[in-house]
Amino acid sequence: MLTGDSSVSSGEAFVDSYSILTNIHKAHQSMGYCPQFDGLDNMLTAAEHLQLYARLRGVPEKDIKQVVDSLISRMNLSEYANRCAGGFSGGNKRKLSTAIALVGNPPIIFLDEPTTGMDPKARRFLWNIIIGIVKEGRTVILTSHSMEECESLCSRVAIMVNGQFKCLGSPQHLKNKYGDGYTVTLRVGGEDPNLEAVSEFIKSLFPGAVLKDQHHNQLEYQFPSHGLVLSQVFGHLEANRKIFDIEDYSVSQTTLDQVFINFAKNQTDGTDEDTLSAPNELEEERRPYPDEEAGPRTSFVRMSDFTPDTVDV
């Protein structure tokens, strides 16, 4: 809706102070867009794509070559500059689509699952590019299914279910508010580790602890956050390490993956009107958070991907 691809069902939005309802053409001048499915011409080379979009963007003719060369170099596409895009790998197509979104240095950039089809090395490369864009003072709004990607890139995260935002805040804020507690992992030493004794010890001190996994000499527990004092967890484990021969242990917070799954399990196929019209009880109040970076131009938003029927709700 913000890019003008879909009709706005209700409400209003502004991109760089321009209304998307009454002044969408001005709004377009302030945004770059990398769609989920590459909008490339298989018969054009990478350089020709960028030349085309540079002219559409209004880049002066004398500057086009410099702009194209700079983007090709930045996206590590020099080897493919004069090759037709139809023969590109999925990762290189995504790089070229991202480069097109950067033509003209727009202040706001929309990236719809920019790392789809990329190998880990190429994905990390593009992450660094996105981080560099933000450091230049521009805003990036991206969608992703990868919680690792969100934690690496996003200063603000939104999770959408059935066409509605259910939460908005920094990754740490969401884990604090919607997480299920803490994961405690213990590794017991010795040739014949006495795991039963360690289990009885944990149950006696933390009745709410749930054993999630047991493998050889390792135990993994889920501790509820309600009524739990972390200092007591560390204190008890440290005081009894030698008694139970605990070689090492770790205490970690609920991951963003688990938070996302807790919300996503309420996702429907978009046909349940009662579900879609239900009030948003978990929607986070719109206020700044202590652990959230300040400034609209240094923030990201992520949301899950849904079917077209659901998106239009």
Side-chain angles (χ1 to χ4, degrees):
M1 291 182 186
L2 293 174
T3 60
D5 282 354
S6 301
S7 300
V8 178
S9 54
S10 63
E12 172 70 291
F14 296 86
V15 176
D16 202 19
S17 77
Y18 296 110
S19 167
I20 64 171
L21 295 180
T22 61
N23 213 346
I24 187 66
H25 296 297
K26 284 287 187 180
H28 281 161
Q29 294 177 19
S30 300
M31 70 173 72
Y33 177 40
C34 173
Q36 181 177 4
F37 302 104
D38 302 299
L40 306 176
D41 188 316
N42 291 336
M43 303 304 293
L44 294 181
T45 66
E48 288 169 343
H49 272 99
L50 295 174
Q51 290 167 5
L52 170 63
Y53 282 96
R55 291 189 175 100
L56 291 174
R57 272 289 193 185
V59 176
E61 192 68 28
K62 62 183 178 63
D63 298 327
I64 287 180
K65 186 178 186 306
Q66 179 184 352
V67 169
V68 171
D69 291 344
S70 174
L71 286 171
I72 286 177
S73 175
R74 185 174 188 179
M75 301 305 295
N76 201 21
L77 289 171
S78 300
E79 182 181 347
Y80 308 94
N82 297 312
R83 296 186 187 181
C84 290
F88 284 10
S89 65
N92 284 330
K93 286 183 178 180
R94 298 307 288 164
K95 286 182 182 179
L96 179 55
S97 294
T98 303
I100 290 172
L102 300 181
V103 172
N105 292 327
I108 301 169
I109 300 165
F110 295 95
L111 304 176
D112 194 351
E113 299 195 24
T115 60
T116 300
M118 286 188 169
D119 60 75
K121 182 179 179 181
R123 185 181 301 117
R124 178 65 63 176
F125 172 83
L126 189 57
W127 288 2
N128 292 334
I129 293 292
I130 294 173
I131 291 172
I133 294 170
V134 176
K135 289 181 178 179
E136 294 172 359
R138 292 187 272 170
T139 297
V140 177
I141 301 176
L142 63 89
T143 65
S144 178
H145 277 127
S146 169
M147 297 302 104
E148 180 189 7
E149 184 167 87
C150 296
E151 293 208 62
S152 297
L153 299 178
C154 302
S155 59
R156 285 189 293 176
V157 175
I159 297 177
M160 182 183 282
V161 179
N162 294 324
Q164 296 180 339
F165 274 12
K166 293 300 181 182
C167 58
L168 174 64
S170 68
Q172 185 59 49
H173 172 80
L174 298 187
K175 287 190 285 187
N176 287 340
K177 186 173 181 65
Y178 301 112
D180 290 332
Y182 298 88
T183 299
V184 178
T185 304
L186 306 99
R187 188 157 60 92
V188 183
E191 294 181 1
D192 185 20
N194 190 352
L195 299 183
E196 291 185 4
V198 177
S199 296
E200 290 299 325
F201 159 68
I202 294 295
K203 289 179 182 179
S204 64
L205 292 175
F206 309 102
V210 178
L211 180 63
K212 288 290 186 179
D213 187 34
Q214 178 176 329
H215 179 70
H216 187 47
N217 65 336
Q218 185 167 298
L219 297 168
E220 181 179 307
Y221 285 91
Q222 185 73 25
F223 281 37
S225 56
H226 181 70
L228 183 71
V229 181
L230 282 180
S231 60
Q232 294 180 359
V233 176
F234 285 104
H236 288 306
L237 291 176
E238 279 296 325
N240 293 275
R241 283 188 68 169
K242 292 184 178 179
I243 298 175
F244 295 101
D245 197 14
I246 299 174
E247 290 186 347
D248 57 59
Y249 62 90
S250 66
V251 180
S252 58
Q253 196 174 29
T254 300
T255 64
L256 201 57
D257 277 292
Q258 291 169 305
V259 174
F260 175 72
I261 290 171
N262 286 341
F263 281 107
K265 64 186 179 183
N266 296 317
Q267 174 71 21
T268 68
D269 59 4
T271 59
D272 188 345
E273 295 182 1
D274 293 334
T275 301
L276 297 177
S277 61
N280 186 358
E281 297 179 356
L282 296 178
E283 185 173 5
E284 180 55 40
E285 54 271 21
R286 302 299 188 259
R287 58 180 176 79
Y289 306 111
D291 53 355
E292 179 175 309
E293 294 181 14
R297 293 194 181 279
T298 58
S299 63
F300 296 76
V301 178
R302 82 150 297 278
M303 55 192 102
S304 55
D305 184 40
F306 301 99
T307 61
D309 289 340
T310 308
V311 172
D312 289 339
V313 171

